[in-house]
Amino acid sequence: MPATKKKAAKPTKKTPKRSPAAGKVVACWEDDPGDPKLQPPLSPIDVSAPNQAAQPYAFKISGATPDPSVYTPGTPGFRFYATAAALRRTADFWGQAVPAKTKWEVGATLPVHLDDGVDLNAFYTRGDFQEAPGLHFFHDTVAGRTFYSCESPDVCCHEMGHAVLDSLRPQLFDAQTIEAAAFHEAFGDMSAMLSALQVASFRLEVIRETAGTLNRASRLSRLAEQLGAAIRVQHPDEVDPDCLRNAVNSFFYRDPQTLPPSAPSNALSSEPHSFSRVFSGAFLDALAGMVKVLNQSPTPDDLEKASQDAARLLVGAVLTAPVVPDYYSQVAAHMITTSQTAPFDGKYKDALKSAFVRRGILSLQAAATMAGIQVQNLPRAAMAAVRERLAPALPTASISAAAYGLTKSSLVVHTAAEPRRLAVNSASLATGSIEAHSAQSAAESFTDDLFQRGRVDVGVHAHPEAGLLHPMGFRTHFLVEQKGQLSIKRRCFDCGFD
């Protein structure tokens, strides 16, 4: 009998989609292109054309997709692929650390708006206010030069960091407390630093610049140099002298409710971007210590290994730390407990404890009591179940609205009132530990800050005579009326300039 012709096998669901750009090369920045007045301009690097649809963190840049090619800096094609390459780098990096089946809070694919108008800003939003969900980038012309926030890998990786954290711990988005908001900003800066370390040529440069001691000022620690340069022209005390924020700093933990709502860049305030520097500085100290644990004379491979381990420690802590007013100390403590489980088996414990104690995020007493805490292995496969067991939203409470010039007497907020798991606190400036504030007090303090800085869009809810309206400034929150009650909701996380 003649041989029967076999039918072509149908592709299975497991067959990965091949990007139309697969195998092609594009140009992008290795790191933030920087301030040309302070350093020589960078040269672009060539990378494989990024696949926006890759899982688990797919994204889609709006508008037409240029043909993959090595475009010249300053052209729309270069900006497109510089943004896409930075975002893909960040998505791939966090994708290997988060639980399986983790998805964006805004849907299966994260929308990206490359140029949404004139502003020195960028932000992540769920789209609950007046704009589309996703990442929004902008441009502005300062002193005859046009700056595009999407062109900076630091800004891209920071904003996608907000989306990653929202996918892991959505309860933090509307948490009405200073430390939860500040940790969101710190996570964005940590995302920028860790994502940059996935570039082999950048790791070589960091070792050369720091001699292997990562918590020295370098291109790694200097975040968003280009955007910082643009802002500095108009508002010189709003940003650091060499960038937007530098993770190499000397800030020691302070009770944020005792700090002013704003301050120049060389001082600490309760504003989330300002206060975030306490945690991001401690994190870079910890990362530097982790690298030295691996090798006293670190290689680029050691930097890559430490960065990936740090991401897994952060993810484990974010999933297990309760949202409470003193959130920093809980995340730090849970990073330490996670470091004592497989595959880390305690090798990073001292580096972490030292960094968080030196910054006051953990008091001496807190660090000492952690020695007796029993820890249980939490493999990556089990982390998804941990996330599913979390309450979908934080508890709500009413606070007085009398001082805010609103048409209602009270305001409903989401409070940082999850059950505490570890009895740890941050350091006092005197001796011992700071006693944690109540969730109600923390919510009232954060709300005061928002209204003082003009960050709330009050809409039609301002009282005709007593209403408090700020004609200028970026709004991160807005008011919603439901069933006769006013509640406050977060609109977005922006890059930190009013």
Side-chain angles (χ1 to χ4, degrees):
M1 294 178 62
T4 56
K5 189 174 182 180
K6 292 184 179 179
K7 294 183 178 179
K10 293 182 178 179
T12 65
K13 291 183 179 179
K14 294 183 180 179
T15 302
K17 285 186 176 180
R18 184 173 174 84
S19 168
K24 298 186 178 180
V25 173
V26 298
C28 67
W29 294 120
E30 178 185 60
D31 181 33
D32 188 280
D35 180 359
K37 293 181 180 179
L38 298 178
Q39 63 186 44
L42 296 182
S43 297
I45 60 172
D46 292 347
V47 299
S48 298
N51 178 9
Q52 298 184 60
Q55 295 296 333
Y57 282 141
F59 63 91
K60 180 67 173 70
I61 298 176
S62 60
T65 299
D67 290 335
S69 184
V70 177
Y71 292 95
T72 303
T75 63
F78 180 85
R79 282 194 294 275
F80 183 98
Y81 282 107
T83 306
L87 294 178
R88 187 70 264 158
R89 181 192 312 164
T90 306
D92 287 346
F93 172 72
W94 288 109
Q96 53 81 35
V98 301
K101 299 182 180 179
T102 301
K103 299 294 182 185
W104 301 118
E105 188 67 13
V106 298
T109 301
L110 180 68
V112 179
H113 309 275
L114 206 61
D115 186 4
D116 221 17
V118 178
D119 201 357
L120 290 174
N121 209 342
F123 63 78
Y124 162 71
T125 179
R126 291 178 178 176
D128 295 332
F129 187 59
Q130 297 171 348
E131 58 269 305
L135 308 184
H136 293 250
F137 300 97
F138 300 84
H139 76 277
D140 202 355
T141 300
V142 179
R145 182 183 173 198
T146 301
F147 295 83
Y148 291 86
S149 60
C150 70
E151 198 171 334
S152 166
D154 285 350
V155 175
C156 291
C157 300
H158 174 101
E159 296 307 328
M160 183 172 269
H162 284 302
V164 169
L165 184 53
D166 202 24
S167 74
L168 291 168
R169 205 59 160 95
Q171 298 83 356
L172 290 170
F173 192 83
D174 277 319
Q176 200 75 351
T177 177
I178 294 166
E179 290 197 23
F183 181 78
H184 235 289
E185 298 302 338
F187 193 93
D189 285 352
M190 292 185 288
S191 176
M193 290 188 287
L194 293 172
S195 298
L197 289 173
Q198 306 318 298
V199 181
S201 58
F202 184 75
R203 295 196 296 273
L204 280 170
E205 173 61 21
V206 169
I207 290 176
R208 184 200 65 77
E209 197 174 358
T210 67
T213 302
L214 262 63
N215 57 344
R216 293 173 177 171
S218 70
R219 281 172 54 192
L220 176 66
S221 72
R222 291 190 293 269
L223 298 164
E225 295 100 311
Q226 187 179 79
L227 185 61
I231 294 171
R232 197 178 303 114
V233 171
Q234 299 172 341
H235 301 273
D237 73 341
E238 291 275 359
V239 298
D240 283 350
D242 53 0
C243 57
L244 187 69
R245 286 183 294 277
N246 198 322
V248 172
N249 58 63
S250 301
F251 294 117
F252 188 85
Y253 181 89
R254 297 278 300 275
D255 177 355
Q257 292 188 215
T258 67
L259 293 172
S262 61
S265 62
N266 63 355
L268 202 59
S269 78
S270 59
E271 194 278 326
H273 299 88
S274 176
F275 198 69
S276 74
R277 297 176 296 174
V278 176
F279 200 97
S280 57
F283 176 80
L284 185 55
D285 290 342
L287 182 63
M290 292 169 63
V291 169
K292 292 294 188 180
V293 168
L294 295 175
N295 193 341
Q296 284 296 317
S297 300
T299 67
D301 288 347
D302 296 321
L303 268 61
E304 183 179 28
K305 170 65 174 170
S307 69
Q308 292 171 353
D309 285 349
R312 293 186 178 96
L313 293 173
L314 269 173
V315 168
V318 163
L319 289 173
T320 52
V323 183
V324 293
D326 51 337
Y327 187 59
Y328 275 13
S329 63
Q330 289 294 313
V331 174
H334 281 81
M335 283 186 72
I336 294 169
T337 58
T338 303
S339 76
Q340 296 179 66
T341 65
F344 312 109
D345 299 322
K347 67 181 177 181
Y348 297 132
K349 179 182 67 174
D350 290 335
L352 293 166
K353 287 175 68 174
S354 173
F356 289 125
V357 167
R358 288 203 311 270
R359 295 293 182 142
I361 291 173
L362 288 176
S363 68
L364 290 168
Q365 294 84 344
T369 59
M370 291 200 65
I373 295 175
Q374 298 295 315
V375 295
Q376 182 180 5
N377 275 338
L378 186 65
R380 185 183 176 208
M383 287 184 178
V386 172
R387 185 187 186 281
E388 293 302 317
R389 287 198 298 269
L390 296 170
L394 295 175
T396 59
S398 292
I399 63 175
S400 172
Y404 309 138
L406 302 177
T407 54
K408 304 290 183 181
S409 60
S410 64
L411 193 60
V412 177
V413 297
H414 286 87
T415 59
E418 290 187 334
R420 187 180 297 269
R421 297 189 183 94
L422 300 179
V424 296
N425 297 94
S426 298
S428 167
L429 290 182
T431 58
S433 302
I434 294 175
E435 185 176 348
H437 293 282
S438 70
Q440 183 85 11
S441 171
E444 291 169 352
S445 179
F446 185 53
T447 307
D448 279 2
D449 280 4
L450 290 177
F451 277 92
Q452 284 174 327
R453 294 197 306 271
R455 302 287 260 178
V456 183
D457 189 319
V458 297
V460 298
H461 306 294
H463 190 278
E465 286 81 29
L468 182 61
L469 300 175
H470 293 268
M472 300 175 65
F474 187 81
R475 312 289 190 256
T476 57
H477 290 71
F478 63 102
L479 299 180
V480 176
E481 184 173 3
Q482 294 176 324
K483 298 180 179 179
Q485 284 190 311
L486 279 184
S487 60
I488 190 166
K489 288 181 64 68
R490 178 175 286 279
R491 171 195 174 196
C492 65
F493 283 100
D494 69 324
C495 70
F497 174 63
D498 291 335

